Every structure is written in C-alpha cells, then in structure tokens.
Amino acid sequence: QVRVSSAEAAARLGVEEAGNEIFWLMHQTENWILRRQLAIALGDLFGAPGEIYHYMTGEMSRNVQALYNLAQLTEKQLRGFFQRDGRPGDQVIQRALQNGATYYDRGLYGEAFGEILRVWREILVLVPPKVSKGSAIIAQYWSRVQEYLDQGGQPHAQDVVLGMYSLYRYLREQAGPGRSDQGV
C-alpha cells in the first residue's frame, strides 16, 4: 500500500521517472485492485490528473461503456487531424478502435490490446509527435509495453483502458491548446 501511495503521489506531481517504476509495479502484481490503482497513477502522468479515474473505476458495465466513449473521443480527435490535412479518414484505424472496445467488452483483453497497439503504431506515422512532456511520457509507456510483450507479458483489463486513454491523451497533446473535447 505504501508503494502504491508513493506511485500515486509521484504521478500527481508529474514526475516522469515514476512512469517506468509504476509500469513495472503494475505488471508484477496479480492483485487486480493494486494493478488498477497503479494504472490510474500512470494514467495521471499522461494528462489531466484524475481524468482516467472515470475510465478505471465502477461497475464493469459502466467501464465498458466508458471505454466505448473513449474510443469515440479518440476517433473524433483523429478525424480532426485527417480534416486538417485534407485526407479522408482511415477506416482501418477507426475499425481497430471499435474492435478494441468490442474485444474489451467480451473480456478478450489480449485481442483488445492488440488492436490498440496497432492504432498506436498508425498514429505515430500519421501524427508525428511534438516535443512535449505528455508525448514523451506516452512514448515511454509504449516502449515499456513493447518490452513487456516481448518478455511474454499478457495484457490485463487495465492495460486496455490505459492504452486507449494514452491514444486519446496523445492526440489531445498533439492538437495543442484550444483544441479539446467537451464531455470527458
């Protein structure tokens, strides 16, 4: 409990180095409550502290609906980038976001996370990162994800939500100030 409290405090303070420690602590425990609290702490590093809490807590049916909503917000952010560049929307990315939420709904966390990982890789090509604290933390998170998967790690429900949330926060960060979605 002390380690979790420390990780949460570091996340609230915006300490980037805490991200790596939180990530590995989250994946070393089999306790889903502890894993969820660590995921929330890590998500706090991605953007507005406390925002991810809405997506991680409550009844499973509410969490599923929240993830569908998060996928839609992410899709909306992507459409903004496509419109800005005068390109049609990418159906593959949109389908992958929807599939990620659907797999999560069915309890197929590995498949859901695979779809979200595919979207992350596409987003990096379509929306090159601006240098910012949030983008750096999210890129670090995805590097740790790849290491974890390369070591045979299996994604959990918290990974799916955290992954989808990281896509959304990354796109918001890249859109810059003044471009935000209401209703988060």
Side-chain angles (χ1 to χ4, degrees):
Q1 190 173 24
V2 170
R3 292 172 79 184
V4 173
S5 295
S6 298
E8 288 175 344
R12 280 192 298 277
L13 293 172
V15 180
E16 292 179 40
E17 295 76 26
N20 192 42
E21 180 70 18
I22 295 168
F23 180 87
W24 292 111
L25 285 172
M26 183 177 90
H27 288 94
Q28 290 170 353
T29 184
E30 290 300 316
N31 181 318
W32 72 271
I33 294 171
L34 179 59
R35 194 177 320 119
R36 180 183 66 193
Q37 292 303 316
L38 290 165
I40 290 169
L42 187 54
D44 282 346
L45 292 174
F46 295 166
E51 183 179 62
I52 193 170
Y53 184 83
H54 167 74
Y55 301 106
M56 287 277 185
T57 60
E59 296 177 2
M60 187 59 177
S61 62
R62 191 182 75 73
N63 290 353
V64 168
Q65 187 56 50
L67 191 73
Y68 276 113
N69 292 340
L70 189 55
Q72 288 174 346
L73 289 171
T74 303
E75 212 173 313
K76 181 179 178 184
Q77 287 286 337
L78 276 169
R79 277 195 306 270
F81 282 99
F82 288 128
Q83 289 171 353
R84 183 191 69 192
D85 295 342
R87 296 186 296 195
D90 189 322
Q91 297 297 322
V92 173
I93 293 175
Q94 292 171 344
R95 199 168 21 262
L97 284 167
Q98 294 164 2
N99 288 344
T102 300
Y103 285 137
Y104 177 79
D105 188 3
R106 295 178 183 162
L108 302 171
Y109 305 128
E111 289 85 347
F113 197 77
E115 293 292 322
I116 294 166
L117 179 59
R118 180 176 0 158
V119 172
W120 168 249
R121 290 176 178 152
E122 291 293 324
I123 284 175
L124 279 180
V125 173
L126 296 169
V127 185
K130 295 177 186 175
V131 176
S132 69
K133 180 180 171 184
S135 295
I137 293 167
I138 292 169
Q140 177 187 17
Y141 162 74
W142 282 103
S143 293
R144 298 297 82 78
V145 163
Q146 193 59 59
E147 286 178 45
Y148 176 69
L149 296 174
D150 289 347
Q151 294 172 7
Q154 296 298 311
H156 301 280
Q158 295 86 357
D159 292 299
V160 176
V161 176
L162 194 57
M164 186 74 79
Y165 181 70
S166 76
L167 300 178
Y168 171 70
R169 289 306 314 172
Y170 177 84
L171 291 169
R172 292 241 355 224
E173 184 88 16
Q174 300 313 300
R179 292 218 29 200
S180 64
D181 290 325
Q182 301 301 318
V184 177

